[in-house]
Amino acid sequence: MRHDMLEDVARVLLTAEEIQKRVAELGAQISRDYEGKNLVMVSVLKGSVVFMADLMRAVTVPAEIDFMCVSSYGSGTRTSGQVQILKDIGQDLTGKDLLIVEDILDSGVTLSYLSKLLWARNPNSVRLCTLLDKPDRRQAEVQVDYTGFVIPDEFVIGYGVDYAERYRNLPFIGTLKPEVYQNS
């Protein structure tokens, strides 16, 4: 039986076009800010992979990329508060200018932990770029340097953001119908 993901979308919050326009703007700003620096863009998997792919192509200065996979959610919809590193960066960060690329800043628990962890590895700088920021959900203080969109505290999916590993491949950011996640 085929299930159409679009049936689970309550409404489109950000269209594919709006996202692409904002990613291009972020890429231009990051390119200006990192001119002549030793940029390493660190994608926080899995959610930021779509954003990272588009953002790195919008950055016009030399940049390395790397990936971390962390979890603070398990399979639920609320953070557990425990951050687990599933995949770490595989290079020496001494003297590098790190830009952590995240899909959504929610509680801030994971990114607060990651920032401290990465600062301890002697980079020149650690900055944060998030596509989506939900300030209403913040539990830990996090300094965001580049924000795509500030969004309300709604359950969002698409453009890399998932619910139970699904919906990441939607080209837009939408809200999920409550009955989808309340019944699981």
Side-chain angles (χ1 to χ4, degrees):
M1 184 176 117
R2 187 176 170 276
H3 178 78
D4 188 345
M5 292 184 298
L6 295 177
E7 293 171 9
D8 295 340
V9 176
R11 68 186 173 96
V12 174
L13 199 60
L14 299 165
T15 66
E17 295 75 22
E18 289 172 310
I19 294 167
Q20 293 310 317
K21 180 177 183 286
R22 186 65 185 127
V23 170
E25 292 167 357
L26 289 169
Q29 185 182 356
I30 289 164
S31 298
R32 285 190 302 272
D33 293 350
Y34 283 89
E35 181 72 44
K37 295 191 175 176
N38 206 347
L39 176 58
V40 179
M41 298 173 71
V42 179
S43 174
V44 182
L45 298 174
K46 298 175 188 173
S48 73
V49 73
V50 177
F51 178 41
M52 174 72 155
D54 287 345
L55 184 64
M56 64 190 241
R57 289 182 297 206
V59 169
T60 57
V61 295
E64 294 177 49
I65 63 167
D66 214 322
F67 300 90
M68 291 188 81
C69 188
V70 299
S71 175
S72 67
Y73 282 86
S75 60
T77 60
R78 296 228 175 253
T79 183
S80 66
Q82 298 291 336
V83 180
Q84 185 180 13
I85 297 192
L86 306 175
K87 182 216 176 298
D88 206 341
I89 292 176
Q91 64 173 294
D92 181 8
L93 300 178
T94 304
K96 305 282 176 92
D97 293 288
L98 305 184
L99 180 63
I100 302 171
V101 178
E102 182 63 287
D103 56 343
I104 187 164
L105 176 54
D106 198 320
S107 70
V109 170
T110 301
L111 286 171
S112 174
Y113 177 83
L114 271 187
S115 291
K116 291 181 181 102
L117 180 77
L118 294 174
W119 268 116
R121 298 181 185 181
N122 302 313
N124 282 339
S125 64
V126 177
R127 287 180 163 184
L128 174 61
C129 177
T130 187
L131 177 66
L132 305 173
D133 184 2
K134 270 193 202 175
D136 294 347
R137 294 284 299 271
R138 202 76 80 245
Q139 295 172 21
E141 198 169 314
V142 178
Q143 171 65 44
V144 184
D145 302 282
Y146 306 96
T147 302
F149 302 92
V150 175
I151 61 169
D153 184 12
E154 294 184 66
F155 203 106
V156 293
I157 50 166
Y159 196 73
V161 181
D162 76 305
Y163 170 67
E165 295 299 326
R166 298 176 65 181
Y167 310 104
R168 292 187 196 278
N169 52 325
L170 291 172
F172 56 82
I173 298 287
T175 58
L176 192 60
K177 289 180 179 172
E179 58 266 25
V180 174
Y181 56 90
Q182 287 171 347
N183 294 334
S184 52

